[in-house]
């Protein structure tokens, strides 16, 4: 057997448990064209909590013209149940978004730094370098305000405009982001471009350079999302994003699927003996329910195939 | 970090290339309820060859009452293009099927031994033990006739009736099958029940007990298929089954998806530097085409999302 240049990076024991951040209310809905009423968004959050979710990315504080689905972010946060054991996060792209997040009483924000200039310019009107400075500014303010600041590197595994993104570049960006002390550093495969060996390599290299707590965010655009999630867990990452039902999409591939689905990720992890604290049946029901609200069959497969073994 | 009882597969470099056996004409179509004319089946085979497929599981020799889609197996084999660089296989469950396969001039048969008694009884009317004897009988006849005999262990990762299937049992079954000298020993996750750690463990244990050349067959019923394929490749298995478009289904979960899709598997492997010899664009076109013939959107995602990077 000859060897390819890439090595399969699958290492040590898997973690005994992982934390799944429910991003359906934010990244899931944000990419859905069917606008939902505020009450449905709040019900989605309530159902996720009932299924065991304890970290929820609930809203984006972005311009309503750009992302109409998130126009009622303040109203959603005002109505979402507040519980000591549930933490919410809001995604922000700039200072204005951060101020809005603070105004809702959120104690965690997720700040996006885009790895490529072209995606960054199109997504948030700044270069990567400018995005990095925005992150530093928000991190400083968040620390002063006692708010957790998560940094997400978008298109960390590939860009729809610039194509492949070099690991060297992402590692250096991660190193600089880490200097401002993120609560967590998330690597996002925004367009489902990554593969498992790349995931393992990037995680290993970033871990060598920073002490940041790592989190991964995968889309299943090209059916690599669950393999990537497995590779991330095998590389020791114990916080993964997912959206119930696998709702969401990709603005750059109109017919493509979205985030990896929470229920399918739970099934994968549970099968490997990795606990998530989530209730598969409740998740599957919620996936089907939100699909009905959106008028589509969700990409999650557990709701269609049923659990294994059968309950 | 505490450790789960299961370990992630520790592995060596990935193979530089893998062989993908195109099973769409057999396992894909067999589970589709829309009956296709013989000419369309032959065209599917021709298109797979044009996309680079060199091993094709083309037909099943089973009773037409049980699998109406395969009733024209002889006609398909009579019309399929014969080329020195393309090998065809037919699936057989018993001696009658084997004789039919020989009658078409096939030089490879795939004999199914089912790991659990209940599935075996329902699928082919015999116990696992009786299935094993059938395999031994066919293997002997195949060797005498100069025909390659592949053995497939069905429901090796889980059974819809009996639930989890113990690795000990599958390893012992593999050991006994290997005594009759299979050309290849295939492990089939017939209902998409397996997870990557299980794949790695089973492959490692079977390799310790037998010298058989291993092959894996995954379904994506619960979105674990590509992670399992990655785990198998990482464990050194260099022959994987897939169906173009991901056509097929699961007779035990009517709404479930089928085999992993050839185009999505090619994308995953190519991204990791593993060659398959297949043409992604041609595969994607064929996936879309067969979906149109079957009147459904195929589960493969490459045709919807497009390749990455863009060509």
């Amino acid at each position: 057997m000859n060897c390819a240049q890439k090595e399969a990076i699958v290492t040590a024991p898997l973690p005994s448990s992982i934390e799944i951040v429910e991003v359906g209310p934010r990244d899931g809905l944000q990419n859905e064209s069917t606008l939902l009423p505020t009450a449905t968004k709040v019900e989605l959050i309530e159902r996720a909590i009932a299924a065991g979710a304890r970290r929820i990315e609930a809203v984006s504080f972005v311009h309503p013209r750009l992302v109409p689905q998130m126009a009622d972010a303040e109203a959603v946060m005002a109505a979402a149940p507040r519980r000591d054991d549930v933490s919410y996060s809001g995604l922000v792209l700039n200072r204005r978004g951060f101020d809005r997040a603070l105004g809702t009483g959120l104690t965690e924000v997720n700040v996006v730094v885009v790895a490529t200039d072209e995606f960054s310019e199109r997504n948030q009107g700044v270069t990567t370098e400018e995005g990095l400075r925005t992150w530093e500014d928000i991190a400083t303010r968040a620390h002063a305000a006692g708010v957790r600041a998560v940094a997400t590197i978008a298109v960390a595994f590939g860009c729809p405009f610039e194509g492949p993104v070099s690991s060297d570049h992402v590692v250096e960006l991660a190193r600089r982001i880490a200097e401002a002390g993120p609560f967590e550093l998330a690597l996002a495969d925004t367009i489902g471009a990554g593969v498992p060996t790349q995931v393992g390599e990037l995680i290993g290299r970033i871990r060598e350079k920073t002490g940041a707590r790592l989190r991964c965010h995968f889309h299943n655009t090209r059916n690599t999302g669950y393999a990537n999630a497995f590779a991330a867990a095998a590389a020791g990452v114990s916080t993964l994003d997912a959206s119930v039902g696998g709702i969401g999409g990709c603005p750059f591939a109109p017919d493509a699927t979205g985030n990896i689905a929470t229920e399918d990720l739970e099934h994968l992890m549970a099968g490997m003996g990795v606990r998530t604290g989530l209730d598969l049946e409740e998740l599957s029901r919620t996936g089907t329910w939100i699909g009905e609200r959106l008028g589509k069959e969700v990409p999650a497969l557990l709701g269609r195939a049923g659990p294994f073994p059968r309950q």
Side-chain angles (χ1 to χ4, degrees), chain A:
Chain A
M1 185 173 84
N2 296 319
C3 299
Q5 88 240 55
K6 304 266 182 152
E7 301 228 338
I9 297 145
V10 184
T11 55
L14 290 169
S16 61
S17 65
I18 63 158
E19 173 183 64
I20 300 183
V21 180
E22 176 56 50
V23 300
R26 198 281 299 174
D27 200 30
L29 294 186
Q30 175 172 303
N31 286 307
E32 293 287 351
S33 52
T34 303
L35 293 184
L36 298 182
T38 303
T40 303
K41 296 173 188 173
V42 174
E43 185 174 347
L44 176 59
I45 291 169
E46 289 167 344
R47 285 174 177 258
I49 293 171
R54 293 297 175 262
R55 282 186 77 187
I56 299 175
E57 198 159 289
V59 290
S60 267
F61 295 100
V62 289
H63 198 290
R65 184 171 41 76
L66 299 178
V67 187
Q69 187 78 272
M70 293 290 125
D72 59 350
E74 277 83 355
V76 170
M77 288 318 305
R82 300 294 171 122
R83 292 169 47 148
D84 289 346
D85 61 347
V86 172
S87 73
Y88 294 115
S89 174
L91 187 126
V92 306
L93 301 180
N94 50 38
R95 176 74 181 284
R96 166 93 180 105
F98 177 68
D99 291 341
R100 285 178 61 196
L102 277 195
T104 66
L106 270 175
T107 55
E108 184 178 316
V109 292
N110 187 352
V111 185
V112 178
V113 180
V114 181
T116 63
D117 281 330
E118 189 168 351
F119 194 108
S120 189
E121 293 272 13
R122 291 188 188 221
N123 197 57
Q124 47 217 64
V126 296
T127 62
T128 298
E129 197 61 32
E130 289 163 346
L132 191 59
R133 285 201 292 275
T134 298
W135 150 250
E136 289 161 349
D137 173 49
I138 293 176
T140 304
R141 292 172 191 276
H143 293 152
V147 165
R148 288 173 172 182
V150 172
T152 291
I153 302 181
V155 296
F157 299 90
C159 170
F161 310 114
E162 299 192 15
V165 173
S166 93
S167 292
D168 288 353
H169 173 64
V170 178
V171 171
E172 175 57 13
L173 193 55
R175 192 192 60 72
R176 293 178 65 194
I177 287 171
E179 287 178 348
F183 171 71
E184 227 168 28
L185 176 59
L187 302 172
D189 188 10
T190 312
I191 60 161
V195 291
T197 46
Q198 185 185 11
V199 170
E201 184 204 354
L202 203 50
I203 290 167
R205 291 188 59 193
I206 290 175
R207 196 169 272 141
E208 274 174 23
K209 295 280 187 186
T210 82
R213 180 185 142 122
L214 297 183
R215 165 176 162 188
C216 286
H217 175 102
F218 296 114
H219 281 233
N220 197 40
T221 318
R222 292 174 182 83
N223 254 332
T224 58
Y226 300 91
N228 288 340
F230 166 62
V237 169
S238 57
T239 302
L240 296 172
D241 290 0
S243 78
V244 67
I247 56 170
C250 179
F252 307 99
D255 198 24
T257 57
N259 297 274
I260 55 174
T262 314
E263 53 268 55
D264 294 6
L265 182 60
E266 201 292 321
H267 165 80
L268 170 66
M269 291 295 159
M272 298 192 294
V274 178
R275 293 188 307 275
T276 68
L278 298 173
D279 181 321
L280 185 59
E281 210 175 304
E282 192 68 35
L283 287 174
S284 294
R285 270 198 299 268
T286 301
T288 304
W289 169 83
I290 192 66
E292 286 163 4
R293 300 285 84 70
L294 292 167
K296 66 182 239 185
E297 184 173 54
V298 294
L301 297 181
L302 259 290
R304 290 185 231 175
F308 180 84
R310 303 258 167 221
Q311 305 303 302

